[in-house]
Amino acid sequence: MRDHPRLPTAPGFWRSPLRGPWFTSVLGLVLLAGVTVLFVTGLVSYAAYNPDLSPVNDTTPDKGVLGFYLFPWPTGPVWLYRFTQGVHVTLGVTLVPVLLAKLWSVVPRLFTLPPARSLAHALERLSLLLLVGGGLFEFTTGVLNIQLAYVFPGSFYPLHFYGAWVFFAAFAAHAVLKAPAAVRTVRRRLREQPESDLTAPRPDPPTVSRRGALWLAGGGSLLLFLTTVGQSLGGPLRRTAPLAPHGGPDPGGGPNGFQINKTAAYAGIDPAETGAEAWRLVVTGRTGTVRLSRAELLRLPQHSSSLPIACVEGWSTADQWWRGVRLRDLAALVGHDGAAPDVLVESLQRHGAFRRAALRANQVADGRSLLALSVNGEDLSLDHGSPARVIVPAAPGVLNTKWVARLTFGDL
Ligand SMILES: Nc1nc2c(c(=O)[nH]1)N[C@H]1C(S)=C(S)[C@@H](COP(=O)(O)O)O[C@H]1N2
Ligand SMILES: [Mo]
């Protein structure tokens, strides 16, 4: 046996013959494409929340210039958020093995001495700290959130949102510096060792080829993909996603037997408050306030829309057939019969971030946006928001408030 240096800073400590520019470049280019898609779909997901509309939607009040790109989220195609958020979450999970392999391939660089050879070198290493730290932070917070491990101090949104900007700034700088060389390395098929600080000076004999190691990381990604994507496809395929908390079979049977996010019990809804005697919908607008019982709502013109539920956590359902009163008809009832206004929706729920949400005028104006009373031909179940819930095309699930008690129309 050759003697093995004890310190990771010693040349010769890192012995894997797999490390080298080719391996790192291939993984880096996969991440270049993948992380860019994650960043764009993430920004899009943030915009879909209408965070610039009202403080009730916004848990990132200090976003400042980082919100420069916000735009009114459209109401079509109806599967829009299903698609963008399904891609964001599924791709994020799929890239985990690639990220880990990439970090493993460059770990010797973490220990290079001296820590800085020049000011430029010091700055470069500092940016790598933001890159690696930011990457691990974004992937970790994302995975924890979709696993419903709400362990964050406060809300997940500001952490993941601000973290994304830090990570992507460092990522973009890194890509500008490294991508051209990585492309050259992969193009030339430099599987033979070119001189590089990534290459072990005294490698151990190989037990697997570089190609084999790539297949290993790729295989891990494929496995994660196949056991995650079903939650976004829904229907019978949901069963193929055992790693996702909402990946099991749909609950129960019958018209209300589709995925539930938080149950009425979890949200602290008292069933007594939802009964015909107790419950009234309070609608406020330009001309005052009206109170409507469920029976009175049922006497208003009823409309149907086929719309999915699509959660920020990546799971979604196929279209469900909702029936109820159009939001814009309710707006007209309180004096907004011209241009549709924004609306603040509040539920019976007393605690929790999602007990209220603000919808934008374009969402109210869309004839498919309903205060739904029934789904798939049956009254809403308590867990799906009985006596009434909002359903809006193309919007994130969090805007589809359940157990609605109050609608306040007007500019927010
Ligand atoms: N009042 C209230 N409405 C709510 C929520 C909530 O926690 N409380 N969760 C929202 C979220 S995050 C989603 S994804 C959808 C899920 O609807 P479902 O449980 O009917 O599938 O409801 C939304 N409406
Ligand atoms: Mo959600």
Side-chain angles (χ1 to χ4, degrees):
M1 287 293 283
R2 292 176 295 182
D3 56 324
H4 197 140
R6 285 228 195 86
L7 290 178
T9 45
F13 175 88
W14 302 95
R15 305 279 271 264
S16 173
L18 295 176
R19 289 201 182 86
W22 184 77
F23 193 64
T24 296
S25 298
V26 173
L27 294 166
L29 290 175
V30 172
L31 287 176
L32 175 59
V35 168
T36 304
V37 173
L38 285 181
F39 185 64
V40 171
T41 50
L43 291 188
V44 155
S45 176
Y46 182 69
Y49 272 74
N50 290 337
D52 51 344
L53 183 58
S54 151
V56 310
N57 287 8
D58 197 355
T59 53
T60 53
D62 303 320
K63 62 184 178 295
V65 292
L66 298 183
F68 75 92
Y69 72 92
L70 292 174
F71 56 96
W73 186 248
T75 56
V78 298
W79 44 262
L80 183 61
Y81 193 73
R82 264 196 102 181
F83 176 72
T84 61
Q85 195 59 10
V87 168
H88 186 73
V89 169
T90 309
L91 182 61
V93 170
T94 301
L95 286 179
V96 167
V98 181
L99 178 77
L100 294 180
K102 171 71 164 63
L103 291 178
W104 174 86
S105 79
V106 294
V107 78
R109 278 199 183 143
L110 191 63
F111 296 96
T112 8
L113 286 180
R117 288 189 302 268
S118 63
L119 184 63
H121 186 229
L123 286 176
E124 196 210 322
R125 294 197 77 180
L126 206 65
S127 82
L128 289 180
L129 212 63
L130 294 180
L131 178 70
V132 175
L136 288 173
F137 181 82
E138 285 304 281
F139 277 82
T140 309
T141 50
V143 168
L144 284 173
N145 194 59
I146 61 168
Q147 287 300 325
L148 315 184
Y150 306 124
V151 293
F152 313 108
S155 169
F156 160 77
Y157 298 93
L159 294 176
H160 203 63
F161 178 72
Y162 295 132
W165 280 104
V166 172
F167 172 44
F168 199 75
F171 186 84
H174 187 69
V176 167
L177 292 175
K178 304 283 186 173
V183 170
R184 274 198 306 277
T185 304
V186 172
R187 275 244 179 94
R188 286 197 216 131
R189 300 179 180 278
L190 291 181
R191 246 162 275 147
E192 298 313 311
Q193 303 287 9
E195 266 320 299
S196 161
D197 61 329
L198 289 172
T199 318
R202 289 194 286 149
D204 285 336
T207 51
V208 57
S209 69
R210 289 217 169 92
R211 230 161 222 275
L214 267 192
W215 278 111
L216 203 68
S221 285
L222 185 67
L223 192 69
L224 285 174
F225 175 80
L226 292 175
T227 50
T228 304
V229 70
Q231 68 162 344
S232 312
L233 302 173
L237 288 173
R238 195 182 300 287
R239 290 166 182 278
T240 65
L243 294 182
H246 290 281
D250 281 333
N256 274 280
F258 58 95
Q259 202 53 232
I260 294 162
N261 189 1
K262 302 290 186 282
T263 62
Y266 179 95
I269 299 299
D270 177 359
E273 289 186 47
T274 67
E277 291 297 305
W279 186 80
R280 292 291 178 277
L281 175 73
V282 181
V283 188
T284 303
R286 194 184 283 147
T287 54
T289 295
V290 297
R291 276 163 219 279
L292 298 161
S293 67
R294 197 164 187 282
E296 286 167 324
L297 280 169
L298 282 166
R299 283 198 290 273
L300 295 174
Q302 303 291 301
H303 294 271
S304 305
S305 334
S306 281
L307 301 174
I309 297 273
C311 184
V312 66
E313 285 149 9
W315 64 272
S316 57
T317 72
D319 292 357
Q320 312 293 326
W321 189 63
W322 308 90
R323 204 164 159 73
V325 183
R326 282 180 171 161
L327 291 183
R328 69 176 191 215
D329 292 350
L330 290 166
L333 218 56
V334 287
H336 300 272
D337 22 28
D342 307 328
V343 65
L344 173 66
V345 183
E346 294 168 281
S347 78
L348 289 172
Q349 192 181 341
R350 295 206 171 78
H351 306 283
F354 304 151
R355 68 184 189 280
R356 47 193 193 161
L359 300 175
R360 211 184 278 279
N362 68 319
Q363 293 171 315
V364 174
D366 193 301
R368 296 168 294 186
S369 299
L370 301 179
L371 182 73
L373 304 168
S374 71
V375 64
N376 301 323
E378 191 182 73
D379 283 351
L380 287 177
S381 68
L382 192 57
D383 284 338
H384 281 304
S386 175
R389 81 169 303 163
V390 162
I391 184 88
V392 175
V398 63
L399 296 183
N400 296 326
T401 309
K402 305 197 275 191
W403 315 292
V404 172
R406 189 184 288 270
L407 297 174
T408 308
F409 291 98
D411 290 337
L412 292 174

